[in-house]
Amino acid sequence: MTRHGQMYLRDAAPPRFRVPARGRFGRMFRCTRPFAQDTPAVRQALMALGKAEGIMDPGPTNNPDNPAIPAGFTFLGQFIDHDLTFDPTSSLERQSDPEAIENFRTPSFELDSVYGAGPTASPHLYDNSPANRGKLLIDSDRPHDLARNSQGTALLGDPRNDENLIVSQLHLAFVKFHNATIDKLKAEGVNPGQLFDEAQKLVRWHYQWIVLHEFLPLLVGQKVVDTVLQRGRRFYSTRWRREPYIPVEFSVAAYRFGHSQVRGGYVINDGFRAAIFVPPGSGGNDLSSGKPLSPERVMDWRNFFKLDDTKTPQLSQRIDATISRPLFQLPFIPPNMASNPASLAQRNLLRHLTFGLPSGQTVARRMGIAPLSAADLADVAAISTELANNTPLWFYVLREADKRADGQSLGPVGGRIVAEVFIGLLQSDELSYLCQEPDWMPRLGTGGDFKMADLLKFAGVAEPPALPTPPAPAETPQPAEVSAS
């Protein structure tokens, strides 16, 4: 049966598991002209704006930290993105109608990237042993890694959650959080037939609480969150073909703020640190994943979230119009291809053309917000007067965060887009806690609250890993004794 365009399993009890149904993209601001026409000159200007050693490249050492946001939230943001959107079909070369692009994720905070389509439709994600009924699969021989097939490919609801070490380990933390919830409910005597549904609901609602009460306020400010909750959404309507949609102003522009937060490298544990990416063929060590985890790379989450007083986590980078140098040469993109650039900045900017996004100034005016000044965009004007007057929304959101929020959170345009979409998706999902029980409080944390630190502790991954002992140095052979004769 279907409800509001979503598909559900039949069950005598109220439905708690939704079979993932694909959604669509759309526009938040209709009847706005694109920021620029797709011409060779405009493409050349965008490539100059997003090139290595250009104005978006801070150099190897000039990318300041954001004191307000620990580094772990960069990858929680990536994990959330993979829960909401997946667009494998659009191109950087041809025009795309957002309403014709299929979203291969359901537009709701339901962890289908973790649960897939459930134990019946996605049995490869689940433990089929009777003792572990309802649990997600973890390889008992490799408990610190995602479950993998014989070729090393991770068994996931979304393969993107194994593209780097940190998001891979975060996915594993959610797997272990679900399994720990199963153990808790089993100990409380929950009926075995209801165990999976109850655990999944509890996991989803605690995840949604983190999104609304920890992640979102860090990014947009508590005042913006409260304003949208109390006064309602002004720009994002979820009534679109009878189901929520993902606006391209969010997915292609505002929510890509996380790219500016990525550090050039990370300390993973006391014995291992590496760059996020290294150039292809360089032979250097980086944080790419997609293969079995070696023991020395197991995460120490104290380096990414504030778990206790024993260690201060690394910080994310400021939200501004610069991105770390490794992101200008993505290792999985062939270099020197004008139509398919390896620079993440250039790719983001070109996508604005193919989706016909409005300029940041246009969106600001539609919101009743004073646009950035000419002085705020003087470096863009040196490249292109047209782009300075009609700035691509992604770049505009980043520069706005820098100039109007000191790089510690999103500014008024970017923050409002992200807040309205997040809250709108929660309010329109009839299985979310905000829709079913708006006054619900978490019961797995402390004091009626629940944060990422609580999730990691409950999942049993908060303790620092036991690193392998390095081999003892070989003894130097001693010369044989010479006997006296």
Side-chain angles (χ1 to χ4, degrees):
M1 63 180 176
T2 61
R3 297 186 183 184
H4 301 294
Q6 304 286 359
M7 187 181 295
Y8 296 86
L9 290 176
R10 294 187 178 275
D11 196 321
R16 289 176 182 160
F17 183 78
R18 175 166 43 215
V19 175
R22 294 171 182 173
R24 295 281 177 179
F25 294 91
R27 295 190 187 276
M28 180 182 285
F29 298 96
R30 294 177 175 274
C31 301
T32 55
R33 64 183 180 87
F35 79 97
Q37 296 300 311
D38 190 349
T39 66
V42 169
R43 283 186 171 253
Q44 183 178 4
L46 293 175
M47 293 290 279
L49 184 60
K51 71 178 182 178
E53 301 184 7
I55 66 174
M56 297 196 72
D57 184 351
T61 60
N62 190 28
N63 200 5
D65 290 340
N66 180 349
I69 305 180
F73 289 98
T74 304
F75 297 90
L76 178 60
Q78 184 184 28
F79 179 86
I80 291 170
D81 175 56
H82 294 174
D83 191 32
L84 296 178
T85 67
F86 186 25
D87 165 26
T89 61
S90 64
S91 168
L92 298 178
E93 297 184 77
R94 63 176 183 270
Q95 297 293 314
S96 299
D97 176 6
E99 295 183 8
I101 299 294
E102 190 171 16
N103 180 12
F104 283 69
R105 292 260 74 83
T106 51
S108 46
F109 297 96
E110 62 179 9
L111 295 173
D112 57 346
S113 58
V114 174
Y115 291 114
T120 301
S122 301
H124 60 289
L125 302 180
Y126 293 85
D127 193 325
N128 63 10
S129 63
N132 291 324
R133 181 177 181 177
K135 288 187 175 183
L136 291 156
L137 183 62
I138 294 176
D139 188 339
S140 58
D141 294 330
R142 305 178 65 89
H144 297 302
D145 191 12
L146 297 169
R148 299 179 182 275
N149 66 15
S150 60
Q151 295 182 330
T153 302
L155 305 179
L156 298 171
D158 189 324
R160 295 174 297 170
N161 280 356
D162 194 30
E163 70 182 26
N164 67 66
L165 170 65
I166 304 170
V167 77
S168 170
Q169 289 273 282
L170 188 59
H171 186 107
L172 179 65
F174 274 87
V175 168
K176 292 188 174 184
F177 178 47
H178 169 86
N179 289 355
T181 304
I182 288 278
D183 289 336
K184 178 176 176 60
L185 295 181
K186 186 185 295 186
E188 292 175 355
V190 171
N191 186 303
Q194 299 176 331
L195 195 57
F196 175 80
D197 286 344
E198 291 288 345
Q200 186 187 53
K201 173 184 172 181
L202 205 56
V203 167
R204 282 175 169 166
W205 282 17
H206 281 78
Y207 162 61
Q208 292 165 7
W209 181 275
I210 288 172
V211 168
L212 184 60
H213 292 276
E214 184 178 24
F215 182 72
L216 191 56
L218 279 175
L219 299 178
V220 308
Q222 189 64 55
K223 182 178 180 181
V224 175
V225 175
D226 292 341
T227 298
V228 175
L229 287 172
Q230 295 165 11
R231 300 182 186 177
R233 289 172 272 117
R234 295 176 55 203
F235 309 106
Y236 174 57
S237 171
T238 54
R239 302 299 296 175
W240 185 85
R241 296 188 183 179
R242 300 185 61 214
E243 67 181 25
Y245 72 103
I246 296 293
V248 287
E249 296 90 341
F250 169 86
S251 63
V252 177
Y255 198 64
R256 297 195 181 209
F257 72 89
H259 294 164
S260 72
Q261 293 183 299
V262 177
R263 301 180 68 87
Y266 292 89
V267 176
I268 299 302
N269 56 51
D270 288 345
F272 178 67
R273 64 178 66 203
I276 187 73
F277 297 129
V278 295
S282 67
N285 206 356
D286 67 7
L287 298 181
S288 60
S289 191
K291 55 185 178 294
L293 182 74
S294 56
E296 68 274 6
R297 293 164 67 98
V298 175
M299 294 288 296
D300 183 348
W301 284 114
R302 299 175 304 165
N303 289 322
F304 291 86
F305 296 97
K306 182 66 174 176
L307 301 186
D308 53 38
D309 294 329
T310 63
K311 185 172 285 191
T312 300
Q314 299 159 100
L315 296 171
S316 62
Q317 309 278 221
R318 292 175 83 253
I319 304 174
D320 59 21
T322 62
I323 64 175
S324 293
R325 176 154 284 186
L327 302 184
F328 288 95
Q329 180 57 65
L330 300 177
F332 41 85
I333 304 294
N336 304 319
M337 291 184 63
S339 62
N340 188 32
S343 162
L344 181 59
Q346 291 175 333
R347 298 176 69 82
N348 286 344
L349 293 166
L350 290 177
R351 201 168 293 279
H352 279 55
L353 276 181
T354 58
F355 278 106
L357 261 65
S359 70
Q361 290 90 341
T362 296
V363 173
R365 294 186 185 101
R366 287 285 293 266
M367 288 183 160
I369 297 169
L372 294 174
S373 69
D376 292 332
L377 297 164
D379 53 350
V380 180
I383 296 172
S384 166
T385 303
E386 181 179 0
L387 294 187
N389 295 330
N390 298 280
T391 309
L393 184 56
W394 174 63
F395 185 96
Y396 184 96
V397 164
L398 297 181
R399 181 56 58 83
E400 178 195 60
D402 180 19
K403 296 300 182 180
R404 297 190 174 173
D406 195 29
Q408 296 190 31
S409 67
L410 289 170
V413 169
R416 188 77 189 203
I417 292 173
V418 172
E420 289 209 9
V421 171
F422 270 43
I423 292 171
L425 293 177
L426 285 168
Q427 290 173 333
S428 64
D429 178 7
E430 67 176 24
L431 299 186
S432 75
Y433 93 84
L434 199 60
C435 185
Q436 288 196 355
E437 295 182 36
D439 296 327
W440 174 82
M441 303 286 283
R443 69 183 184 92
L444 300 181
T446 56
D449 199 6
F450 191 78
K451 296 184 176 182
M452 273 304 300
D454 298 302
L455 186 150
L456 296 169
K457 291 173 184 176
F458 191 86
V461 297
E463 293 297 319
L467 300 177
T469 303
E475 293 185 4
T476 303
Q478 298 297 318
E481 291 186 359
V482 179
S483 60
S485 58

